[in-house]
Amino acid sequence: MAVVAVFASVAPLVYLGVRLAEFGIDKVLTQTLRSRSFELLGNSVLLTLAVAVAAITIGSFQAWLTVRTSIRGRSFFAILAALPLAMPSYVSAYAFAALVPGFKGFWAAWLVLTIGTAPYVYLAVSAALVRSDAATEEVARSLGLGRWRVFKNVTWPAIRPAAISGAMLSALYTLSDFGAVSILSFDTFTRAIYNAYRSSFDRSAAASLAAILVVITVILLVAEPWLRGKIVPTDSRVRKTSLIHLGWFAPIAGTVAVVWAAVGILLPTISLIRWNLIGLSKADAGELGRALVNSISYALAGGLVAAIFGIAISVLVVRFRSKTTLMIDRTIWLTHAVPGIVVALSLVFISNRLLPQLYQTSALVIIAYLILFLPNAVAAMQTPISQAPRALDEVAASLGATRLQTLRRVVIPIAGPGILAGAALVALSVLKELPATLMLRETGVETLATRLWNATSVSSFAAAAPYALILVLVAGIPAWLLNRQVRQSMFSQVDLDRRLERE
């Protein structure tokens, strides 16, 4: 199973290499050096940088406000800060475009993607602030430093690695986003790749653009360690909670947080409700039901397959650690940052050349989900599996149990909650996935996401509204429960550390 996962993971990169080799270096250079390619490069890079900087600013501010200060209602602000995760960016784009005529272009894409990705920075920086040493900040203030200098010299170095990691997620999401930029009519590589794929039988132009997108992604991943800087060690023996009283700044900070929440959550929600009131009576209940069933079926199948492969790889890496298993672990992460539209292109190519019977089948869609989201499952499962005591393996072996029986009767039951969380995470990601589903789905099969896309592509906002609302409800409730579980685990771990320190 691990070998199958490795082959599936490297398939997109192999596809690009083969496709570009067939195209020829001269044609690749001609395609790459066109003015259109430079225009797409400028648009994609500028949007990515603008969204990442905004996400760092807003996410770090929200984390500082809810973790470090005594502002009234900070628990409520914490919920508001993470809530945009429940709404896919293309649903937000649809909601804004339906609410504000002429809402499109660079600034529209920047706003929607910043709203959607700032929670990545918020969650990462919140965890860093909870675990950092607040006493150091108190000492700095007692020595006469103002709030800004304390933040610049003490707080920022402590949270910088987390903030940059969150910003990197924001940047990678922006680079690979297809739905929001397409609805908002802003040309980036993903939109151009899809148009090239749909408008011509020659897929080499799409492959050339995909190669440039992959190179930008690799540059970002290489630059991340340098941007994160050194991790500032914290002394857990002196860690304690110290809330900052904002004084006159509290109303200003509260107003900023409320205004951002209103823009990011309230306006899209109002738009969704308004267009549902207009379009719900005209909606085809049968089509709506079939799209819901198809979305849930894909989500359950994707979560189940990712869970099976995730358990196999996690057990190999945790229980049988070696250079080979580490290589397997790293290989599946290799294509994690590759945009979904590139993965879809590679599977179209491979299925047409090698396995034509797989083309436009649900099996091919599930393989795409496996490539895209297997790292998410493995990341969620490795820790709970590593927490299952190895001594129990030895006890089971001494009683005559095989390794498979030990895994089924001992390891999986102990790590069950973490495995379920990993499967749920993949299922949620599948529910919101658009480009791979759009390009690979079986003819006649529509999901909530593809129905929404089809309706918004012809500006039929009323027809799209029921699909958008149901998608947000289906994906939002589990996402909120998972987010709450993560925050509870974070604070519970800190409480446990403090009890251990006292004892």
Side-chain angles (χ1 to χ4, degrees):
M1 294 182 72
V3 173
V4 172
V6 167
F7 275 114
S9 298
V10 300
L13 300 180
V14 172
Y15 153 74
L16 282 179
V18 172
R19 197 65 173 169
L20 295 180
E22 289 180 350
F23 198 31
I25 186 66
D26 294 338
K27 292 183 179 178
V28 170
L29 288 177
T30 303
Q31 187 72 34
T32 304
L33 298 177
R34 290 191 313 158
S35 59
R36 173 64 171 164
S37 299
F38 286 106
E39 180 191 350
L40 294 172
L41 179 65
N43 286 351
S44 298
V45 171
L46 185 62
L47 181 64
T48 300
L49 289 177
V51 170
V53 170
I56 278 190
T57 306
I58 294 167
S60 299
F61 170 74
Q62 289 172 319
W64 174 79
L65 194 69
T66 56
V67 175
R68 272 289 193 269
T69 73
S70 61
I71 190 169
R72 184 174 297 177
R74 62 195 187 104
S75 298
F76 179 64
F77 286 132
I79 295 173
L80 292 181
L83 211 52
L85 282 177
M87 189 175 291
S89 58
Y90 55 85
V91 174
S92 291
Y94 150 75
F96 275 105
L99 187 66
V100 183
F103 186 83
K104 60 184 180 180
F106 173 82
W107 291 110
W110 169 81
L111 178 63
V112 166
L113 290 171
T114 301
I115 290 171
T117 61
Y120 295 138
V121 179
Y122 161 73
L123 291 174
V125 174
S126 293
L129 283 174
V130 167
R131 295 178 182 279
S132 66
D133 183 9
T136 308
E137 297 176 12
E138 289 184 354
V139 171
R141 284 195 292 272
S142 69
L143 294 175
L145 293 183
R147 289 194 182 102
W148 169 245
R149 293 184 66 187
V150 170
F151 176 81
K152 178 184 174 184
N153 298 325
V154 181
T155 308
W156 174 248
I159 66 172
R160 177 178 168 179
I164 295 298
S165 295
M168 190 58 61
L169 289 176
S170 169
L172 292 174
Y173 185 97
T174 303
L175 268 181
S176 63
D177 177 77
F178 164 72
V181 295
S182 297
I183 291 173
L184 299 173
S185 304
F186 185 68
D187 279 340
T188 60
F189 275 114
T190 51
R191 190 180 186 216
I193 291 169
Y194 182 77
N195 290 336
Y197 168 79
R198 285 297 185 198
S199 61
S200 171
F201 289 105
D202 182 8
R203 308 286 162 74
S204 300
S208 300
L209 295 175
I212 300 174
L213 185 57
V214 170
V215 169
I216 299 173
T217 303
V218 171
I219 290 173
L220 275 179
L221 293 174
V222 170
E224 188 202 6
W226 175 74
L227 291 172
R228 283 199 305 173
K230 295 181 180 178
I231 296 176
V232 178
T234 59
D235 187 349
S236 61
R237 292 172 301 176
V238 297
R239 183 194 307 149
K240 59 182 181 180
T241 302
S242 176
L243 299 180
I244 300 171
H245 300 286
L246 295 177
W248 61 268
F249 187 64
I252 298 174
T255 302
V256 171
V258 168
V259 168
W260 181 252
V263 173
I265 301 169
L266 186 61
L267 289 182
T269 304
I270 289 174
S271 178
L272 284 179
I273 294 173
R274 176 194 172 207
W275 282 102
N276 268 282
L277 291 176
I278 297 173
L280 197 57
S281 60
K282 303 176 184 176
D284 186 326
E287 288 185 354
L288 199 61
R290 284 191 291 275
L292 177 61
V293 169
N294 289 336
S295 291
I296 293 176
S297 300
Y298 275 150
L300 292 177
L304 178 64
V305 171
I308 293 171
F309 278 87
I311 290 171
I313 292 174
S314 298
V315 168
L316 275 179
V317 173
V318 172
R319 287 289 200 263
F320 306 97
R321 201 170 187 82
S322 67
K323 290 182 179 178
T324 304
T325 57
L326 285 176
M327 186 193 70
I328 291 172
D329 186 42
R330 288 170 184 168
T331 303
I332 65 167
W333 281 96
L334 194 63
T335 51
H336 183 54
V338 175
I341 199 163
V342 178
V343 172
L345 272 179
S346 70
L347 291 181
V348 169
F349 173 81
I350 293 171
S351 60
N352 278 329
R353 292 286 184 92
L354 304 176
L355 298 166
Q357 62 272 27
L358 273 182
Y359 182 62
Q360 287 196 325
T361 63
S362 296
L364 197 62
V365 179
I366 300 303
I367 292 172
Y369 294 153
L370 180 67
I371 296 172
L372 288 169
F373 305 124
L374 179 59
N376 296 7
V378 172
M381 292 175 185
Q382 282 191 0
T383 299
I385 288 177
S386 69
Q387 290 171 342
R390 287 176 179 271
L392 294 180
D393 294 12
E394 298 172 1
V395 172
S398 69
L399 294 174
T402 63
R403 285 179 175 175
L404 190 60
Q405 289 172 328
T406 304
L407 178 66
R408 183 164 56 85
R409 296 180 179 177
V410 178
V411 178
I412 291 179
I414 293 175
I419 292 171
L420 284 177
L425 189 61
V426 173
L428 278 175
S429 302
V430 170
L431 272 174
K432 298 188 291 184
E433 206 283 333
L434 177 61
T437 310
L438 198 61
M439 294 173 65
L440 300 174
R441 73 190 189 282
E442 192 175 349
T443 303
V445 173
E446 299 287 352
T447 65
L448 294 171
T450 59
R451 281 286 181 194
L452 173 64
W453 164 260
N454 292 335
T456 52
S457 61
V458 293
S459 300
S460 182
F461 297 129
Y467 299 101
L469 183 63
I470 292 178
L471 185 60
V472 170
L473 292 176
V474 172
I477 295 173
W480 174 71
L481 291 173
L482 279 174
N483 177 56
R484 191 179 67 167
Q485 183 182 358
V486 169
R487 286 186 62 82
Q488 285 176 345
S489 302
M490 187 171 69
F491 284 101
S492 299
Q493 183 62 45
V494 172
D495 289 341
L496 177 62
D497 290 345
R498 287 172 181 163
R499 285 201 300 272
L500 292 174
E501 289 163 17
R502 285 197 296 270
E503 292 171 2

